[in-house]
Amino acid sequence: MGNQQTIKNPVVKLENVSKFYGQGNLLVKALDKINLEVNKGDYLAVMGASGSGKSTAMNILGCLDRPTHGSYLLNGLQVEELNDDALADLRNQELGFVFQQFHLLQDATALENVLLPMIYAGIPQSAREELAKQALEKVGLMERMQNYPNQLSGGQQQRVAIARAIINQPSLLLADEPTGALDSSTTEDVLNLFDELHKQGITLVLVTHEDEVAKRAQKVAKFKDGKIIEIS
């Protein structure tokens, strides 16, 4: 019993994960036997050139794709064995996504955009609005909750997207080039928000090609030719 406190419970555990496309002479090894652990509360940046495998890895982490070989445990659940419906449920309940393009519904207010994942998660209507307001408050946008995306700056739209991503209290927040469409000042604001979320205990994996962005993370995993060549 005394050893239990020292046992790590990884949110993410990839073991010998490979992803192949094509066959024969046209076989492409997008990922080649990678191993990765992300523990609760970690903040990991993922870097690599185009074609290094980092986007494929993110798609697998986000349950948007399946490995060809190997094992993916998400909170102890064997992901590659799940059917499509179970994967969709897992994405909604355990994962939050933030993208370079904000993917907001243009005809929905900021509040309505943030509400959306809770509808799919079956959270009662009576609770949804209050939770959405709390999430918008957390990202500093309470006063803009009735605005539509075209009435918001790029940074404000990304904050709405982050509020939507954290609304179901995901085990893992995945951010794919989240500052790629933002200017340097707005980038700083969004990165400060990620820092704050990390301090609150959110487990965060962020893909970036910018050293300045990666420096904000606790650890950096560098990909090359489908392999992780360094974790520092």
Side-chain angles (χ1 to χ4, degrees):
M1 293 293 287
N3 292 332
Q4 279 191 317
Q5 291 180 345
T6 62
I7 294 173
K8 287 184 177 178
N9 290 315
V11 174
V12 163
K13 188 171 186 179
L14 300 179
E15 288 189 318
N16 292 318
V17 164
S18 296
K19 181 66 182 182
F20 301 156
Y21 297 101
Q23 55 190 357
N25 292 334
L26 299 176
L27 183 70
V28 175
K29 293 183 177 181
L31 289 178
D32 189 7
K33 295 182 180 175
I34 67 165
N35 294 284
L36 180 67
E37 278 194 18
V38 180
N39 292 303
K40 185 172 173 55
D42 278 355
Y43 185 173
L44 174 72
V46 173
M47 299 192 78
S50 179
S52 63
K54 65 184 190 300
S55 295
T56 303
M58 280 292 272
N59 284 339
I60 287 173
L61 290 179
C63 301
L64 299 168
D65 202 355
R66 298 172 187 268
T68 306
H69 303 293
S71 164
Y72 174 21
L73 288 170
L74 178 61
N75 270 341
L77 198 62
Q78 203 80 44
V79 172
E80 70 274 7
E81 295 177 356
L82 301 177
N83 63 30
D84 289 346
D85 288 343
L87 271 184
D89 287 342
L90 191 68
R91 279 195 299 272
N92 191 252
Q93 292 162 14
E94 298 287 347
L95 299 169
F97 296 92
V98 182
F99 302 98
Q100 179 174 340
Q101 305 303 328
F102 319 120
H103 296 308
L104 299 178
L105 297 177
Q106 294 302 306
D107 57 353
T109 64
L111 185 68
E112 289 165 343
N113 268 285
V114 175
L115 282 169
L116 200 59
M118 290 188 287
I119 295 171
Y120 295 127
I123 292 169
Q125 186 174 356
S126 56
R128 281 181 218 149
E129 189 165 314
E130 186 56 38
L131 289 169
K133 286 178 180 176
Q134 288 173 14
L136 284 167
E137 185 172 22
K138 193 175 282 190
V139 300
L141 278 183
M142 265 294 281
E143 76 285 358
R144 307 305 295 269
M145 66 181 180
Q146 296 302 335
N147 287 107
Y148 290 88
N150 65 5
Q151 298 170 315
L152 300 171
S153 69
Q156 288 169 334
Q157 290 185 63
Q158 191 60 295
R159 289 194 203 187
V160 173
I162 292 168
R164 181 184 59 190
I166 63 174
I167 193 68
N168 285 342
Q169 299 181 309
S171 299
L172 179 64
L173 183 61
L174 297 170
D176 192 357
E177 299 282 6
T179 60
L182 306 176
D183 61 42
S184 58
S185 172
T186 311
T187 289
E188 184 73 14
D189 290 343
V190 169
L191 292 176
N192 287 340
L193 179 55
F194 281 134
D195 289 345
E196 190 57 39
L197 292 171
H198 175 235
K199 285 177 191 169
Q200 294 168 14
I202 285 184
T203 307
L204 181 59
V205 176
L206 180 150
V207 166
T208 183
H209 64 274
E210 299 175 57
D211 288 328
E212 288 303 310
V213 173
K215 282 178 184 173
R216 304 290 282 264
Q218 288 174 310
K219 294 187 286 188
V220 179
K222 293 183 178 176
F223 278 68
K224 184 178 181 180
D225 299 329
K227 298 178 183 287
I228 297 175
I229 57 169
E230 181 186 352
I231 296 181
S232 57

